[in-house]
Amino acid sequence: MVENEQSTEQHSQNHLYISAFFVIFVIEQTTQFGSREYVTLLIMLDLSNEKAIYQQIRDQVVEGIASGNLQEGETLPSIRQLAADFGINLHTVNKAYDLLEREGFIQLRRKTGAVIHLKNRLPEDWETRQRTLLAEAYAQHITTEAILQRCQSILAEFDTQHQYHNGPLKGGQQ
């Protein structure tokens, strides 16, 4: 089941421009005990954002995993389905999924598609990206304490979301 919403802006000369839209996927999963459960995955793309569409998809899947909304073994929408639902190029979704696989968040399988499969390791460039983000804050004269407080606040938010979806975090969170 897929719901598609679009937010629009009206501009002069009666031209209609789409600035952002989202797709809600309701994914049916079968538990190890044979019962069915449903996972809701919301992916929102902002076409006016400078961030590339494939990166927006990648980031939202990663945040879905971090929040506990997406769990190990769950299947993501197929590349074709996601591209069709958003009306974007197939290669854009493929690029996002390839990046997620290289970074150790999913595994691409021929028969089952993209499956959440965590390798419990950080991507190779994680420290470099972290360093750049911290440099941006530091260069703007944000104090070390404020930076650490913001990091702790974001991690606490993920922890709260994860507990809401799945209960307490398991060990080995690094």
Side-chain angles (χ1 to χ4, degrees):
M1 177 189 320
V2 177
E3 297 179 31
N4 193 342
E5 285 287 327
Q6 296 184 349
S7 67
T8 58
E9 296 178 12
Q10 186 73 36
H11 290 278
S12 61
Q13 302 175 0
N14 295 325
H15 292 286
L16 189 63
Y17 297 95
I18 297 172
S19 62
F21 56 97
F22 63 88
V23 175
I24 301 172
F25 294 94
V26 179
I27 305 168
E28 181 180 334
Q29 301 288 327
T30 304
T31 67
Q32 63 185 11
F33 305 111
S35 63
R36 291 185 178 152
E37 56 184 34
Y38 299 91
V39 176
T40 303
L41 171 63
L42 169 68
I43 297 179
M44 185 167 72
L45 300 180
D46 182 355
L47 302 179
S48 64
N49 192 327
E50 291 180 11
K51 188 185 291 187
I53 292 173
Y54 80 91
Q55 190 69 45
Q56 291 181 49
I57 294 169
R58 178 254 179 224
D59 291 352
Q60 290 189 37
V61 170
V62 171
E63 288 194 26
I65 295 168
S67 71
N69 195 33
L70 294 172
Q71 296 183 20
E72 183 85 25
E74 291 181 346
T75 304
L76 294 175
S78 72
I79 291 170
R80 288 183 196 276
Q81 178 186 354
L82 194 58
D85 290 339
F86 277 120
I88 59 177
N89 192 303
L90 188 77
H91 297 292
T92 301
V93 178
N94 191 47
K95 187 172 184 176
Y97 279 16
D98 281 343
L99 182 58
L100 286 162
E101 184 176 43
R102 280 196 320 270
E103 292 178 341
F105 293 106
I106 67 172
Q107 185 176 47
L108 295 173
R109 301 176 182 162
R110 288 182 192 263
K111 293 187 180 187
T112 56
V115 177
I116 304 296
H117 180 72
L118 304 174
K119 294 185 179 176
N120 296 324
R121 63 171 171 79
L122 293 171
E124 291 178 18
D125 69 337
W126 187 82
E127 191 169 331
T128 303
R129 291 184 292 137
Q130 180 187 33
R131 184 176 186 82
T132 301
L133 288 172
L134 292 173
E136 289 173 8
Y138 197 79
Q140 293 291 338
H141 304 290
I142 308 299
T143 66
T144 301
E145 294 78 21
I147 294 169
L148 290 172
Q149 183 180 23
R150 185 66 186 137
C151 289
Q152 289 172 336
S153 173
I154 292 168
L155 290 171
E157 182 181 325
F158 285 136
D159 191 31
T160 300
Q161 291 171 348
H162 195 278
Q163 288 181 29
Y164 172 78
H165 291 290
N166 308 299
L169 289 171
K170 298 172 187 159
Q173 304 160 6
Q174 296 183 3

